[in-house]
Amino acid sequence: MEAMESRRWWALAVLCMGAFLSPLDFFIVNVALPAIKSSLNASEGGLQLVIAGYGAAYAVLVVTGGRLGDIYGRKRIFLSGMAMFTLTSGVCAMAGDIRVLITARVVQGLSAALLAPQVLSTIRVIFPVKEQPLAMGIFGSVFGLAAIGGQLLGGMLIEAGIFGWTWQSVFMINIPVGVVTGIAGMYILKENRPPVRQRLDIPGMLLITLTLGLFIYPVIMGREAHWPLWVYGCLSASVAAGLCFVYTERYMLQRGKAPLIHLPLFRDRHFVTGLAIIYLYNHTAAFFLVYPYYLQHELHCDVLSAGLAVLPYAAGFFTGPLISPLLARRMGVYIVSLGQGLLAMGFVLVVTGLWHSPEPGGVVQAGLFFAGIGHGIVMPSMMRIILSEVAVSVAGQAAGIVSTAIQVGSVMGVALLGTLFFALLDAYPAPAAVSITLGILAVLEVVGLLLVITLKSSSKQKIIYGQS
């Protein structure tokens, strides 16, 4: 029994190493954007696509990644994704053209989409109910660690200039981590899959790819192209593709086949509300684009200083998941209200501080720390709430949907708020542009708080949180 318990935690360590790389590559690139812009002569839209291309591919294919794990085994798909992620990291580092880099980032996002759902669904399967809060808390803290590593490590690597690399080093760092994780995973992880083997939903995969792709690309590139007619055509086609996707998934379910997304999951009010909250709070990804860019381009901070400036948020993000199990035992589902409230309050403080002074001061730092703690509390708490009542047979699909909400929220934050920020820079002073952009982000988090208030605790959720 002790050996089996020990193996579970060793497996969690390997899974978290893989989970670490996915958000790391989202965060670490932000501080490298000015160097990429200079080296590859990239436009602002191109820089957004370096981030959003990764996140969009992740969002589009993460549900398929969960299904592949259900079909072929979660260990096998996890290791395949890790190998592909390691390889594409090298391709990104060697890119000599912004288009090559964007393409490699899209494939890297696909690799991350294979990794991430295996982590969540495997935790759901191998850990008993009473251990899931701690396991999810550790998993959630990995995202905070990735935020710290992404901003701080990225700045240190670029400043160090190892082997003459600048922005290339933020991709090369993935290679040794990926190799070690892959080797460890082969020996430590055990294969697991649902008892009923399902098939891939190819039409659903193509339609959801079209839906998100036709929306994200024109939103990012429309500003630089001065919003021509093709942008609106793509957006209209995105809506049509989305409706076709829902119809196709419903048809497959009626025929007794396994759709890409299990639509009955959306009949659960807690599941749907939780997804909406996850979608909104992950718009914070825009902060990691806007704030470092503002510091480097407008305040002329060096890359290491820009990385250090985000440290309060990252430190809070790391701390939040670690304290959430303790708080959850006392507060139950209402811990989410605390976390979302801290997140909203934190960004209000950031906007207040920047509105009064272009140079970030104590109010801004405090706001970032509170926002980070709130984000760190909300993320694992919402995952526990959403996945606690999901049957093992659809754990991969549910985890994929949750991961999709995370990534779509992140990508939409970068696409919508990033586009707004660059547009505001053309019309207003930089401090006003960043304040308005982060002010809208604060409003979105307040909306998330209002959604959290509608959540009600259930007996199962109380058990998940360690209550009797």
Side-chain angles (χ1 to χ4, degrees):
M1 179 67 74
E2 291 183 4
M4 291 179 61
E5 183 176 349
S6 175
R7 190 183 185 97
R8 283 201 300 270
W9 294 104
W10 279 110
L12 179 64
V14 173
L15 293 169
C16 284
M17 287 175 68
F20 174 80
L21 287 177
S22 299
L24 176 73
D25 250 52
F26 196 92
F27 290 114
I28 200 170
V29 173
N30 290 289
V31 293
L33 291 179
I36 292 173
K37 182 177 183 179
S38 175
S39 175
L40 302 183
N41 194 28
S43 67
E44 291 168 348
L47 295 180
Q48 285 179 269
L49 285 175
V50 169
I51 301 173
Y54 174 86
Y58 191 135
V60 164
L61 296 167
V62 72
V63 178
T64 301
R67 174 63 57 81
L68 288 171
D70 291 345
I71 296 172
Y72 298 108
R74 290 158 186 152
K75 174 182 176 178
R76 180 182 299 177
I77 299 302
F78 177 85
L79 294 178
S80 299
M82 180 59 64
M84 189 185 301
F85 191 94
T86 304
L87 178 62
T88 52
S89 294
V91 176
C92 286
M94 293 185 291
D97 181 85
I98 188 63
R99 291 168 293 186
V100 174
L101 178 58
I102 292 170
T103 302
R105 286 283 286 171
V106 169
V107 180
Q108 194 180 37
L110 186 155
S111 309
L114 297 179
L115 286 172
Q118 317 318 324
V119 177
L120 280 173
S121 53
T122 300
I123 290 174
R124 170 74 173 80
V125 170
I126 68 174
F127 283 93
V129 169
K130 65 179 182 179
E131 292 180 354
Q132 285 184 21
L134 178 57
M136 285 291 192
I138 293 172
F139 168 76
S141 68
V142 166
F143 280 77
L145 186 61
I148 294 173
Q151 304 297 316
L152 193 55
L153 180 62
M156 293 173 63
L157 288 171
I158 294 172
E159 284 288 312
I162 302 172
F163 302 124
W165 295 330
T166 54
W167 59 268
Q168 295 89 344
S169 59
V170 304
F171 297 109
M172 294 301 290
I173 193 64
N174 295 334
I175 295 177
V177 178
V179 170
V180 171
T181 303
I183 294 173
M186 286 190 290
Y187 291 99
I188 294 174
L189 297 178
K190 294 183 69 175
E191 191 60 274
N192 69 91
R193 61 165 67 93
V196 179
R197 194 168 182 176
Q198 300 173 335
R199 294 183 177 181
L200 280 178
D201 175 12
I202 301 297
M205 182 181 70
L206 294 176
L207 284 169
I208 196 172
T209 301
L210 277 174
T211 299
L212 293 178
L214 287 170
F215 184 87
I216 292 167
Y217 183 78
V219 167
I220 290 176
M221 301 306 295
R223 185 184 67 87
E224 291 184 355
H226 304 293
W227 306 106
L229 287 178
W230 67 261
V231 168
Y232 303 100
C234 285
L235 295 176
S236 300
S238 173
V239 174
L243 293 174
C244 289
F245 172 75
V246 173
Y247 175 81
T248 300
E249 300 303 277
R250 184 180 300 166
Y251 176 79
M252 291 192 67
L253 194 62
Q254 291 171 348
R255 294 289 299 271
K257 298 181 179 180
L260 182 65
I261 289 182
H262 192 62
L263 292 179
L265 285 170
F266 290 89
R267 297 172 185 166
D268 184 345
R269 176 174 170 270
H270 282 284
F271 187 80
V272 173
T273 305
L275 287 180
I277 295 166
I278 285 174
Y279 170 79
L280 287 173
Y281 77 64
N282 276 285
H283 276 61
T284 52
F287 165 78
F288 292 96
L289 166 68
V290 169
Y291 193 59
Y293 190 93
Y294 168 72
L295 294 175
Q296 292 182 69
H297 268 262
E298 307 303 331
L299 300 187
H300 307 292
C301 296
D302 59 67
V303 66
L304 184 57
S305 298
L308 288 170
V310 187
L311 192 57
Y313 191 101
F317 197 175
F318 178 72
T319 303
L322 297 180
I323 64 174
S324 64
L326 177 62
L327 293 173
R329 282 195 290 271
R330 295 178 175 273
M331 302 180 66
V333 73
Y334 298 104
I335 186 179
V336 185
S337 299
L338 172 65
Q340 191 68 35
L342 287 171
L343 183 59
M345 182 188 73
F347 278 110
V348 169
L349 288 175
V350 171
V351 172
T352 302
L354 290 177
W355 191 262
H356 285 87
S357 173
E359 297 282 346
V363 173
V364 171
Q365 303 303 322
L368 292 179
F369 184 65
F370 287 134
I373 291 179
H375 197 162
I377 289 174
V378 172
M379 185 176 66
S381 301
M382 288 308 307
M383 288 179 178
R384 289 196 294 268
I385 292 170
I386 290 177
L387 297 179
S388 63
E389 299 182 25
V390 173
V392 172
S393 60
V394 292
Q397 294 183 57
I401 294 171
V402 171
S403 297
T404 297
I406 291 172
Q407 291 304 316
V408 170
S410 299
V411 171
M412 290 304 176
V414 170
L416 298 173
L417 296 181
T419 298
L420 173 66
F421 171 68
F422 288 124
L424 289 171
L425 281 178
D426 295 334
Y428 298 96
V434 72
S435 296
I436 294 171
T437 304
L438 296 183
I440 293 174
L441 179 58
V443 171
L444 292 176
E445 302 312 326
V446 171
V447 173
L449 176 60
L450 296 176
L451 288 175
V452 167
I453 294 172
T454 68
L455 287 174
K456 293 182 180 179
S457 159
S458 71
S459 59
K460 274 193 174 183
Q461 288 160 354
K462 289 181 180 179
I463 292 172
I464 283 294
Y465 283 107
Q467 298 180 0
S468 57

